[in-house]
PDB file of all heavy atoms in Angstrom:
ATOM      1  N   ARG A 139      33.103  74.273  -7.290  1.00  0.00           N
ATOM      2  CA  ARG A 139      33.465  74.818  -8.665  1.00  0.00           C
ATOM      3  C   ARG A 139      34.804  74.253  -9.199  1.00  0.00           C
ATOM      4  O   ARG A 139      35.879  74.383  -8.402  1.00  0.00           O
ATOM      5  CB  ARG A 139      33.462  76.294  -8.628  1.00  0.00           C
ATOM      6  CG  ARG A 139      32.146  76.894  -8.324  1.00  0.00           C
ATOM      7  CD  ARG A 139      32.028  78.425  -8.727  1.00  0.00           C
ATOM      8  NE  ARG A 139      32.314  78.626 -10.053  1.00  0.00           N
ATOM      9  CZ  ARG A 139      31.952  79.714 -10.784  1.00  0.00           C
ATOM     10  NH1 ARG A 139      31.425  80.752  -9.958  1.00  0.00           N
ATOM     11  NH2 ARG A 139      32.173  79.939 -12.056  1.00  0.00           N
ATOM     12  N   SER A 266      36.011  76.633  -3.415  1.00  0.00           N
ATOM     13  CA  SER A 266      34.669  76.770  -2.808  1.00  0.00           C
ATOM     14  C   SER A 266      33.917  77.703  -3.708  1.00  0.00           C
ATOM     15  O   SER A 266      34.369  78.723  -4.330  1.00  0.00           O
ATOM     16  CB  SER A 266      34.947  77.500  -1.457  1.00  0.00           C
ATOM     17  OG  SER A 266      33.774  78.103  -1.010  1.00  0.00           O
ATOM     18  N   PRO A 267      32.415  77.570  -3.717  1.00  0.00           N
ATOM     19  CA  PRO A 267      31.615  78.481  -4.422  1.00  0.00           C
ATOM     20  C   PRO A 267      31.589  79.934  -3.878  1.00  0.00           C
ATOM     21  O   PRO A 267      31.232  80.863  -4.571  1.00  0.00           O
ATOM     22  CB  PRO A 267      30.254  77.910  -4.312  1.00  0.00           C
ATOM     23  CG  PRO A 267      30.268  77.031  -3.018  1.00  0.00           C
ATOM     24  CD  PRO A 267      31.715  76.528  -3.033  1.00  0.00           C
ATOM     25  N   ARG A 268      32.171  80.058  -2.576  1.00  0.00           N
ATOM     26  CA  ARG A 268      32.072  81.351  -2.005  1.00  0.00           C
ATOM     27  C   ARG A 268      33.500  82.050  -2.249  1.00  0.00           C
ATOM     28  O   ARG A 268      33.666  83.229  -1.725  1.00  0.00           O
ATOM     29  CB  ARG A 268      31.946  81.241  -0.489  1.00  0.00           C
ATOM     30  CG  ARG A 268      30.501  80.823  -0.134  1.00  0.00           C
ATOM     31  CD  ARG A 268      30.380  80.538   1.272  1.00  0.00           C
ATOM     32  NE  ARG A 268      31.121  79.234   1.732  1.00  0.00           N
ATOM     33  CZ  ARG A 268      30.757  77.994   1.554  1.00  0.00           C
ATOM     34  NH1 ARG A 268      29.559  77.877   0.971  1.00  0.00           N
ATOM     35  NH2 ARG A 268      31.554  77.096   1.988  1.00  0.00           N
ATOM     36  N   MET A 269      34.397  81.551  -2.965  1.00  0.00           N
ATOM     37  CA  MET A 269      35.661  82.209  -3.223  1.00  0.00           C
ATOM     38  C   MET A 269      35.363  83.488  -4.145  1.00  0.00           C
ATOM     39  O   MET A 269      34.553  83.389  -5.010  1.00  0.00           O
ATOM     40  CB  MET A 269      36.611  81.397  -4.053  1.00  0.00           C
ATOM     41  CG  MET A 269      37.828  82.038  -4.474  1.00  0.00           C
ATOM     42  SD  MET A 269      39.061  80.899  -5.282  1.00  0.00           S
ATOM     43  CE  MET A 269      39.739  79.972  -3.826  1.00  0.00           C
ATOM     44  N   ALA A 270      36.005  84.591  -3.673  1.00  0.00           N
ATOM     45  CA  ALA A 270      35.889  85.888  -4.451  1.00  0.00           C
ATOM     46  C   ALA A 270      36.102  85.599  -5.856  1.00  0.00           C
ATOM     47  O   ALA A 270      37.134  85.164  -6.237  1.00  0.00           O
ATOM     48  CB  ALA A 270      36.696  86.915  -3.855  1.00  0.00           C
ATOM     49  N   PRO A 271      35.243  86.141  -6.753  1.00  0.00           N
ATOM     50  CA  PRO A 271      35.367  85.884  -8.218  1.00  0.00           C
ATOM     51  C   PRO A 271      36.757  86.414  -8.733  1.00  0.00           C
ATOM     52  O   PRO A 271      37.421  85.683  -9.517  1.00  0.00           O
ATOM     53  CB  PRO A 271      34.214  86.675  -8.853  1.00  0.00           C
ATOM     54  CG  PRO A 271      33.225  86.603  -7.784  1.00  0.00           C
ATOM     55  CD  PRO A 271      33.891  86.757  -6.532  1.00  0.00           C
ATOM     56  N   ALA A 272      37.110  87.591  -8.235  1.00  0.00           N
ATOM     57  CA  ALA A 272      38.394  88.137  -8.724  1.00  0.00           C
ATOM     58  C   ALA A 272      39.631  87.270  -8.388  1.00  0.00           C
ATOM     59  O   ALA A 272      40.530  86.960  -9.117  1.00  0.00           O
ATOM     60  CB  ALA A 272      38.670  89.495  -8.094  1.00  0.00           C
ATOM     61  N   PHE A 273      39.647  86.728  -7.155  1.00  0.00           N
ATOM     62  CA  PHE A 273      40.715  85.811  -6.724  1.00  0.00           C
ATOM     63  C   PHE A 273      40.727  84.458  -7.453  1.00  0.00           C
ATOM     64  O   PHE A 273      41.615  84.011  -7.799  1.00  0.00           O
ATOM     65  CB  PHE A 273      40.642  85.531  -5.234  1.00  0.00           C
ATOM     66  CG  PHE A 273      41.876  84.701  -4.644  1.00  0.00           C
ATOM     67  CD1 PHE A 273      42.993  85.404  -4.419  1.00  0.00           C
ATOM     68  CD2 PHE A 273      41.710  83.462  -4.480  1.00  0.00           C
ATOM     69  CE1 PHE A 273      44.094  84.658  -3.902  1.00  0.00           C
ATOM     70  CE2 PHE A 273      42.670  82.635  -4.008  1.00  0.00           C
ATOM     71  CZ  PHE A 273      43.982  83.308  -3.670  1.00  0.00           C
ATOM     72  N   ARG A 274      39.503  83.945  -7.773  1.00  0.00           N
ATOM     73  CA  ARG A 274      39.280  82.755  -8.322  1.00  0.00           C
ATOM     74  C   ARG A 274      39.949  82.943  -9.850  1.00  0.00           C
ATOM     75  O   ARG A 274      40.660  81.988 -10.402  1.00  0.00           O
ATOM     76  CB  ARG A 274      37.880  82.438  -8.528  1.00  0.00           C
ATOM     77  CG  ARG A 274      37.630  81.070  -9.257  1.00  0.00           C
ATOM     78  CD  ARG A 274      36.159  80.577  -9.208  1.00  0.00           C
ATOM     79  NE  ARG A 274      35.395  81.439 -10.066  1.00  0.00           N
ATOM     80  CZ  ARG A 274      34.455  82.178  -9.764  1.00  0.00           C
ATOM     81  NH1 ARG A 274      34.175  82.257  -8.562  1.00  0.00           N
ATOM     82  NH2 ARG A 274      33.745  82.976 -10.563  1.00  0.00           N
ATOM     83  N   ARG A 275      39.606  84.034 -10.484  1.00  0.00           N
ATOM     84  CA  ARG A 275      40.141  84.381 -11.850  1.00  0.00           C
ATOM     85  C   ARG A 275      41.689  84.354 -11.801  1.00  0.00           C
ATOM     86  O   ARG A 275      42.416  83.865 -12.640  1.00  0.00           O
ATOM     87  CB  ARG A 275      39.589  85.654 -12.481  1.00  0.00           C
ATOM     88  CG  ARG A 275      38.021  85.400 -12.811  1.00  0.00           C
ATOM     89  CD  ARG A 275      37.585  86.616 -13.659  1.00  0.00           C
ATOM     90  NE  ARG A 275      37.503  87.834 -12.947  1.00  0.00           N
ATOM     91  CZ  ARG A 275      36.485  88.289 -12.235  1.00  0.00           C
ATOM     92  NH1 ARG A 275      35.361  87.528 -12.219  1.00  0.00           N
ATOM     93  NH2 ARG A 275      36.639  89.440 -11.539  1.00  0.00           N
ATOM     94  N   ARG A 276      42.232  85.045 -10.772  1.00  0.00           N
ATOM     95  CA  ARG A 276      43.734  85.189 -10.683  1.00  0.00           C
ATOM     96  C   ARG A 276      44.264  83.816 -10.488  1.00  0.00           C
ATOM     97  O   ARG A 276      45.354  83.533 -11.061  1.00  0.00           O
ATOM     98  CB  ARG A 276      44.130  85.990  -9.524  1.00  0.00           C
ATOM     99  CG  ARG A 276      43.775  87.455  -9.589  1.00  0.00           C
ATOM    100  CD  ARG A 276      44.190  88.181  -8.493  1.00  0.00           C
ATOM    101  NE  ARG A 276      45.574  88.066  -8.111  1.00  0.00           N
ATOM    102  CZ  ARG A 276      46.142  88.362  -6.835  1.00  0.00           C
ATOM    103  NH1 ARG A 276      45.276  88.748  -5.932  1.00  0.00           N
ATOM    104  NH2 ARG A 276      47.361  88.164  -6.681  1.00  0.00           N
ATOM    105  N   LEU A 277      43.804  82.940  -9.687  1.00  0.00           N
ATOM    106  CA  LEU A 277      44.218  81.668  -9.427  1.00  0.00           C
ATOM    107  C   LEU A 277      44.184  80.751 -10.688  1.00  0.00           C
ATOM    108  O   LEU A 277      45.086  80.110 -10.961  1.00  0.00           O
ATOM    109  CB  LEU A 277      43.422  80.948  -8.280  1.00  0.00           C
ATOM    110  CG  LEU A 277      43.818  79.609  -7.937  1.00  0.00           C
ATOM    111  CD1 LEU A 277      45.185  79.345  -7.540  1.00  0.00           C
ATOM    112  CD2 LEU A 277      42.786  79.068  -6.840  1.00  0.00           C
ATOM    113  N   GLN A 278      42.919  80.871 -11.381  1.00  0.00           N
ATOM    114  CA  GLN A 278      42.883  80.123 -12.610  1.00  0.00           C
ATOM    115  C   GLN A 278      43.801  80.470 -13.599  1.00  0.00           C
ATOM    116  O   GLN A 278      44.533  79.651 -14.320  1.00  0.00           O
ATOM    117  CB  GLN A 278      41.454  80.237 -13.064  1.00  0.00           C
ATOM    118  CG  GLN A 278      41.126  79.313 -14.254  1.00  0.00           C
ATOM    119  CD  GLN A 278      39.623  79.537 -14.750  1.00  0.00           C
ATOM    120  OE1 GLN A 278      39.201  80.585 -14.930  1.00  0.00           O
ATOM    121  NE2 GLN A 278      38.944  78.507 -14.800  1.00  0.00           N
TER     122      GLN A 278
END
Side-chain angles (χ1 to χ4, degrees):
R139 298 192 60 163
S266 165
R268 290 174 295 280
M269 175 176 280
F273 186 80
R274 185 178 68 247
R275 289 192 293 269
R276 287 180 59 198
L277 176 59
Q278 188 177 51

